Amino acid sequence: MTALIKEPSFRECVDLMFNRAVALMDLPPGLEEKIRVCNATYTVRFGVRLRGQIHTFTGYRSVHSEHMEPVKGGIRYAMAVNQDEVEALAALMTYKCALVEAPFGGSKGGLRIDPREWDEHELEQITRRFAYELAKRDLINPSQNVPAPDMGTGEREMAWIADQYRRMNTTDINSRACVTGKPVNAGGIQGRTEATGRGVQYALQEFFRHPEDINAAGLSGTLDGKRVIVQGLGNVGYHAAKFLSEEDGAIITGIIERDGALFDEKGINVDAVRDWIVKHGGVTGYPDAAHHAEGAIVLEQDCDILIPAALEGVINMGNAARIKAPLIIEAANGPITAGADDVLREKGTVIIPDMYANAGGVTVSYFEWVKNLSHIRFGRMGRRQEEASHQLIVDELERLSSDRDLGWTLTPGFKQKYLKGAGELELVRSGLDDTMRAAYQSMREVWHARDDVKDLRTAAYLVAIEKVAGSYRALGL
Ligand code: NAD
């Protein structure tokens, strides 16, 4: 639903939230402004000959902070892309990377295009040309600026970008590290496609390990049986909803998409809806749940956890007061406007903020970038050695139990599980889980330790800005 009240833009919202946090800090004069502003935004306009005529496209790449390089951030394909939006998203990337200790500055890109209007071959031509324009200005470069997928893009687009960069830099041995989120057979890493949704799951698992935090949201127990509404069943929303329902026992009661929403208190099968969307282009007509033509209304339904995973500004001054969920996890970037954030905080809603909640993507992107630079798959050196040393222990346990007739045997399944050394996927999940736990703990420590910090978002900004400020201090600024 569009807000009737005039609200600040997305970038202004990010600045307002930033300002709220720095007011509680003691930064040297001028450093606050240095951190807040976006360093540069490049606009490119280029033509591509398609369907017998030249079409002109507008794209952006914004670099928010270069306190660490390369800078990192996704490329979005959507008609709503504009300079204000990419600058807001680039700023969020700076804080996100700092919070989860991914050694990057913040950047973001966007192309004003509706990807559904073009066929695959046309999209490839457009993407390659956009990549060319960015790469020739070092706005794609393994050591300076490394894009990734975002709304409207995925591993297919990242593979085209990587290939375009390689064609332009034929002797760069690290060319694959120029972009992340690539398919595994083109230099990607296992677990990247699902990483942001997986990170949302790990974030909620960590939240539910802290009784004090569960209480703060007025909830109790575990994730099991919690009623969840998700908006946007794309990459992030689909994986988050799938993992939470299949592995943690959560019940997906609502799914909101572009063409309306599905609702069923008994739970909705996420994979069945995803298959339906792929086949029919939307949720309309899905037979096993009630359909609401005005999807955004379902944001206001009673539930335990609300996961906005589509786009920014969907919870705004127009609907904030009617949002019933006691816990909101911002899987999308900027789904809650600054004004709505005030209303929700006043009501006691606990918000797990975007800069933390969707950081799983950049975390696994960081692993992919390291893999590309080291030119070796994670686990390749150690896996068999780990299995061999586990085998020694299992053999010894089995010998002891049979030699001395101790009367015990190994639990069924133990041997098989214990003997399996960690491959790339297991290591990626372990690294992601560790990152999400550590970052949550750093936020909640500030949230609970300081009387003047009332919410997780302010805590997240405090932790992130302190880290960015530390980098600037180390540079002598
Ligand atoms: P996506 O394009 O894969 O999916 C977006 C989904 O939202 C689609 O299913 C689309 O139909 C739906 N949608 C669009 N407009 C909608 C509307 N008005 N109401 C309801 N649904 C709508 O995009 P994604 O990669 O899943 O990104 C979603 C959000 O997550 C964005 O805010 C993005 O910045 C953020 N994010 C993505 C990643 C990533 O790794 N892909 C990482 C961090 C953050």
Side-chain angles (χ1 to χ4, degrees):
M1 186 194 296
T2 323
L4 298 174
I5 304 151
K6 171 97 180 90
E7 292 197 68
S9 71
F10 186 11
R11 191 185 51 73
E12 287 163 346
C13 283
V14 173
D15 285 352
L16 283 167
M17 292 167 179
F18 174 94
N19 292 343
R20 194 167 75 207
V22 291
L24 307 174
M25 299 176 77
D26 193 18
L27 293 177
L31 185 55
E32 167 189 329
E33 171 80 352
K34 174 72 202 83
I35 296 175
R36 188 179 53 74
V37 298
C38 202
N39 288 3
T41 302
Y42 205 92
T43 308
V44 292
R45 294 184 188 87
F46 57 91
V48 186
R49 181 174 285 282
L50 300 161
R51 303 177 192 177
Q53 70 172 89
I54 293 175
H55 293 262
T56 302
F57 297 91
T58 304
Y60 305 88
R61 188 79 186 157
S62 175
V63 175
H64 175 260
S65 176
E66 292 151 292
H67 67 289
M68 282 196 191
E69 285 185 307
V71 293
K72 192 126 193 34
I75 289 183
R76 172 177 288 198
Y77 282 6
M79 284 310 286
V81 161
N82 60 65
Q83 181 169 345
D84 185 280
E85 182 187 72
V86 287
E87 291 190 355
L89 290 164
L92 279 175
M93 282 307 298
T94 296
Y95 311 134
K96 190 179 304 185
C97 290
L99 182 66
V100 296
E101 299 189 339
F104 304 122
S107 181
K108 200 81 179 192
L111 185 63
R112 197 181 299 153
I113 180 178
D114 181 351
R116 293 168 304 175
E117 277 183 16
W118 304 95
D119 68 28
E120 185 164 7
H121 179 64
E122 290 166 338
L123 274 175
E124 177 173 352
Q125 286 175 276
I126 299 163
T127 302
R128 283 185 180 277
R129 184 60 202 270
F130 185 33
Y132 170 81
E133 295 295 333
L134 295 179
K136 76 175 182 190
R137 296 173 173 92
D138 284 333
L139 290 163
I140 296 176
N141 183 307
S143 57
Q144 278 175 269
N145 198 323
V146 181
D150 193 73
M151 219 167 106
T153 58
E155 58 177 37
R156 179 183 67 174
E157 286 74 15
M158 301 306 116
W160 291 331
I161 293 173
D163 186 61
Q164 185 64 34
Y165 180 86
R166 189 189 54 79
R167 287 186 190 183
M168 296 165 70
N169 298 273
T170 49
T171 56
D172 183 350
I173 195 169
N174 292 321
S175 67
R176 281 186 154 175
C178 75
V179 66
T180 56
K182 303 177 291 293
V184 176
N185 61 14
I189 195 167
Q190 303 268 357
R192 174 59 184 90
T193 307
E194 64 178 54
T196 310
R198 183 67 79 186
V200 171
Q201 176 198 27
Y202 289 164
L204 282 170
Q205 287 177 351
E206 181 59 18
F207 178 87
F208 277 91
R209 286 190 192 101
H210 300 279
E212 207 181 343
D213 303 3
I214 305 170
N215 278 343
L219 292 167
S220 60
T222 64
L223 269 169
D224 192 28
K226 292 286 178 294
R227 296 161 307 148
V228 176
I229 294 178
V230 57
Q231 183 189 40
L233 208 67
N235 179 309
V236 179
Y238 163 68
H239 286 107
K242 176 182 167 69
F243 299 145
L244 287 166
S245 58
E246 288 179 1
E247 298 170 18
D248 298 294
I251 304 163
I252 309 301
T253 54
I255 293 177
I256 308 166
E257 258 295 328
R258 292 173 201 266
D259 61 328
L262 300 174
F263 192 80
D264 187 345
E265 275 288 351
K266 292 197 292 299
I268 303 171
N269 182 323
V270 175
D271 272 316
V273 177
R274 174 80 164 190
D275 290 348
W276 185 270
I277 294 175
V278 169
K279 219 163 154 191
H280 303 275
V283 292
T284 310
Y286 179 75
D288 296 326
H291 181 261
H292 297 257
E294 212 206 311
I297 289 286
V298 172
L299 287 169
E300 301 168 20
Q301 285 279 349
D302 198 19
C303 66
D304 299 309
I305 305 169
L306 180 60
I307 311 183
L311 64 168
E312 57 264 21
V314 292
I315 300 175
N316 46 51
M317 293 296 280
N319 61 1
R322 295 192 301 274
I323 301 288
K324 295 191 191 69
L327 176 63
I328 303 178
I329 177 159
E330 294 183 314
N333 283 305
I336 301 178
T337 63
D341 192 63
D342 288 338
V343 173
L344 292 167
R345 274 184 303 127
E346 198 60 34
K347 283 209 299 184
T349 310
V350 172
I351 300 167
I352 303 181
D354 46 6
M355 86 168 73
Y356 164 71
N358 66 38
V362 75
T363 301
V364 177
S365 275
Y366 167 40
F367 302 154
E368 180 177 333
W369 181 72
V370 171
K371 174 187 179 180
N372 293 153
L373 294 179
S374 56
H375 300 268
I376 189 165
R377 163 170 56 78
F378 288 108
R380 182 163 175 182
M381 299 292 277
R383 182 177 184 163
R384 301 299 166 195
Q385 203 282 333
E386 186 190 350
E387 288 181 359
S389 70
H390 285 190
Q391 185 73 56
L392 280 178
I393 296 177
V394 167
D395 289 348
E396 198 58 14
L397 286 172
E398 285 182 331
R399 187 187 63 75
L400 274 174
S401 70
S402 62
D403 278 7
R404 305 205 183 150
D405 200 15
L406 294 174
W408 51 259
T409 52
L410 298 179
T411 317
F414 164 81
K415 193 168 150 182
Q416 198 193 4
K417 270 197 218 151
Y418 186 64
L419 284 181
K420 193 174 181 301
E424 186 168 84
L425 185 60
E426 291 79 17
L427 291 169
V428 163
R429 285 189 184 157
S430 153
L432 176 59
D433 195 9
D434 185 61
T435 303
M436 296 309 289
R437 289 185 199 217
Y440 185 79
Q441 285 159 24
S442 68
M443 284 188 310
R444 79 177 293 275
E445 229 173 81
V446 175
W447 182 27
H448 294 302
R450 291 183 57 157
D451 289 340
D452 53 356
V453 176
K454 310 274 186 230
D455 63 314
L456 277 167
R457 190 191 310 280
T458 307
Y461 269 99
L462 283 173
V463 175
I465 297 167
E466 192 47 62
K467 286 191 175 147
V468 178
S471 297
Y472 276 119
R473 274 191 222 108
L475 293 173
L477 271 178

